[in-house]
Every structure is written in C-alpha cells, then in structure tokens.
Amino acid sequence: MTYRFSSFAAGFYGLLLAGSLLLNSQPSAAQTKAKPAAKSGNALGAIREADIKRDLFALADDKFRGREGGTLDELNASVWLADQIRALGLAPAGDNGTFFQFFHLQRTRLTKASRLSIGTHQLVPNRDALVFAPTTYTVSAPLVYVGTGTAEELAKTDIKGKAVALLFSGNPPADMSFRRYLSAVLRDKSAELLKAGAVTVVFVADARAQNIYEHWGHTYERGRYGLPGDANVLPTTQAPTLLLPASALSWVQQAGQQFTADLRTETFQYPSVNIVAKVAGTDPALRNEHVLFSTHQDHDGVRHAVQGDSIWNGADDNATGCAALLALMRAFKQQPARRSALFVFHGAEERGLLGSRYFSARPTVPQQSIVAVLNAEMMGRNAPDSAALLGSIPPHRNSADLVNLALAANQQGPRFKLDTKWDQATHPEGWYFRSDHLPYARLGIPAVMYTSWLHPDYHTPKDEAARIDYPKLTRMTQWMYLTGWAIANRTAPPAREPGFKLER
C-alpha cells in the first residue's frame, strides 16, 4: 500500500513528528559539558562488525516494509534511526533543534480513469500495457505494425497520423543492464518515430523484455517523482510510449485495428525527511567547518512478489550505508576531530536523489562550511577484496586532493583493489550520477562515493541482510572513517579541482 498525503496533512505530520523528537533530542547535561581536546590517535577500534551487523539486520527487517520514500514506512525507519543517533549522544543538526529536515516530494501519475484500447482489446494502463511516462493525452488513430522497426520496414509503411506498433529487439552493450538498455531503446526509437509523424508508439516485449514487463511494471504505475516544481513532474501532453507483454504479439499484428487512448494525470505531494546529526569539532579555528558523511535510508517498499517475497528490503541498497554511518558516529563520538563531523541520512534517494538535492540547496549548516562529502552507497556485496571510489578520475574528480586522501586511507587500512571502470564517463550504467554525492559535486563541493557496485540482487526482494558480506562492509566503513578523520584533522580543507565540469 502507498500512503497518500495532502500538503496540509504532510506538513502537520512533519510538525508533529519534529515536535515529538525535539522533546527527546536535547543533549543531556553530561553531553553538554566541555569536551577535552582531541587526542592524537583515532577511534578506528570503535567501528565493530557486530554493531554494523546488528544495525543492518534491524533496518532491513520486514517491519519497515522496504522503507519506500514518501510513505509512513520511510518515516518510521527514519524515527528508528534518529532514536539510535540520540542514544549515541550526537547533537541534532536538523531544523528547529531536531534531527529532522522535512521536505515534500511531488508525484504525478495516471488516474484510474485512464483508458487504452487496441481494436477490441481493452487495456488497463500499467497492468495490461506499461505507460512509460504519465501524460494527459487523447487520441484515436489507425494502428500499423512495422515488425522490428528497421529502416526497410518503415519505408514500406506510411506512419504519419498513425499509432505505430513494433517488436522490441536489440542487445545491450557490455556492462549495461538490460533494463537500462530497454529504457534507452524505447526512449530513442519513440522519439524517432514521433518525429516522423507517429501519434503514439507501442512496443511489444520479446522474451527478455517480458521479464522487465513482469517485474518492473510497479515502477511505472507509481508515476514520476520530483521536488515541487521539477520539470519531470509538471503536467504534460506528450504522446505516450507503451510496452505490451509478449503475448500481445499475436493480435497486435492484425491489420485494420484502431488505437484509442484517453489518459489523464493527477499530481500530489508526500512528506519525506532528511536525518541530520553532528559531532562538534575540537579546534576553535576549524570546528565551524564540516566533513559531511552521506547516505540514504529509503528503498523500494512493497512491490511485485518474487518467489513469494513482496518486501524489497534494500539491505545493500542502502541499509549498508546507514549501518556504516552509525558506526562512524560511534567513532567520532568517542574521539572528536578538529573539524566537525556532519552526518546526513537522505530521504527519497530512490525517487531521484530528492533528499540530497533538497539538503545541498538548503543545508542546516552554512553551505560554504562543508569542506568534503563522503557518500556511502551499497558497500556490502561482490568480491571481498574489491571496491570502487567514484569521483576518483576525470571528469568526475572534483578534488584530486580529496581523492589522494581517500587512496592513502585505503592503503593505510583495508587495501581494497580499486575498480575504476564504474567511474568512467563511458560506462553505460552512469553509476556516478545515481547517488547522493552528486548534488554536492554539482555545487563544486569535493565529493566521492564509496561503493561495491551493482549485483544481481540489486532492486529485488533478494537484497536481504543475510546476503551482506559483513567483514567487507566493516572494512569499507573503516576506509570511510580513515578518509574522514584525515580531512577533519588537517589544517587545509581539500582543494577543489580547477575547471571541474561533469560530462552531463
């Protein structure tokens, strides 16, 4: 179930929850005593595998129902995290003296009144035919089938003013997931056919696309999300692109059929939240500067069941990052550094980096005080001796200084073999652009992402706590800590890369 909120209800719930945490988040008298000067050594020993495993199993438990952004499940998980942070004795650094920064996300989707049909076949949108973007669009036009849509097949058919149906075909390049390839083909081929005069484009799944149809339809039913005012959630009247199941091919090919569509959209807002805490620095000259440790607490929620499991728990994505930040908090609380350590759990990352976009634009500390961002994203799978540091090579590197500190920390600690393939601008997955360091990097703030990258259980119900490599996750956390400790204690902040510019 997805919970729907009005703007008033969302604001009221946010104020109520923030107010309740305000009563419980004030530091005790013991916590407000003057802190002793920082010792020379770090607190690496405070990062313990047992703590990380306990926290991860708790957050990825079924009781949080997959923590879908914009639902009560995400908010409940966020309250749980805030309770853990308060128990660790960290200072709240959100709005109004709480651990929370609430924001709204905007959702636009097709209404239940929307209708589709091909000939005598009545199609329920996003059940019998996936609609790849919500749109308000009405049309009735002849349907023409053009095979796989090659230039030779299209040359035989007048498609102007017609609905064009074709069989999906093609193979993804190396290192590109089939789902991303399918989306790219549908986008680009539809644009080509619409430019040539088609009024809508209807793809029929082949055997491989059928798997996407069966397991990802829930994504399109949910519509599109953004921050209020984002272009992708504004009302549109663009011609739709549809994907039909493979079983439709036998009747889609029949000549003389009429395609009709009466699609309508609705838009509304949900609350989401960032969780923010800090450990104050010890140096009077540097304590007003912040090393920001970043992650996200949301995942995909309750969706299509796979082998009987409908809860997409998101253990690697991204309970690993959350457990890592809690461990980092223990270390910095035990031994504060010269600079302040700021910890941000971003909400609604899976909706399009919404929490990090919101916080980076409206931080609860001065934006110029953030000297570096260390982002934790999926750190507990794949080969135990391998990892990746995204933002380490051009054009994604915006601070060679920060990267060198991270590389030195790797040599000092876990000594992972670092894979730079996922950081390359030519990598088809575009992994650099898909996590919460990105909005900060776009602002020029030195930023890197720690990850063990994708795996077959990514965004499926099989991403469970029992599948995490806990020794590896502990070492990834220690690597982040050693990097952050070095940044937080040296006098000069990481230098920014002159002329930094992303490829997109």
Side-chain angles (χ1 to χ4, degrees), residues 95-110:
D95 289 335
N96 304 315
T98 74
F99 290 109
F100 298 117
Q101 181 191 53
F102 283 89
F103 62 95
H104 283 100
L105 53 92
Q106 189 85 24
R107 178 183 180 185
T108 299
R109 68 179 181 188
L110 292 177

Side-chain angles (χ1 to χ4, degrees), residues 397-477:
R397 185 181 65 201
N398 73 343
S399 171
D401 198 10
L402 171 59
V403 170
N404 287 336
L405 288 170
L407 295 178
N410 181 47
Q411 289 303 306
Q412 177 188 354
R415 295 181 177 269
F416 285 113
K417 299 174 184 176
L418 298 185
D419 184 340
T420 61
K421 176 179 64 176
W422 290 82
D423 200 20
Q424 294 172 1
T426 55
H427 197 286
E429 285 291 330
W431 191 228
Y432 176 86
F433 291 86
R434 294 163 58 183
S435 193
D436 287 317
H437 61 284
L438 179 64
Y440 299 95
R442 290 197 186 281
L443 293 171
I445 300 171
V448 290
M449 178 174 99
Y450 297 77
T451 183
S452 56
W453 61 87
L454 302 178
H455 49 78
D457 296 336
Y458 171 70
H459 280 238
T460 77
K462 293 183 179 180
D463 184 7
E464 298 272 12
R467 294 173 179 257
I468 299 301
D469 181 340
Y470 289 95
K472 177 176 184 175
L473 175 56
T474 303
R475 292 163 60 221
M476 292 287 290
T477 306

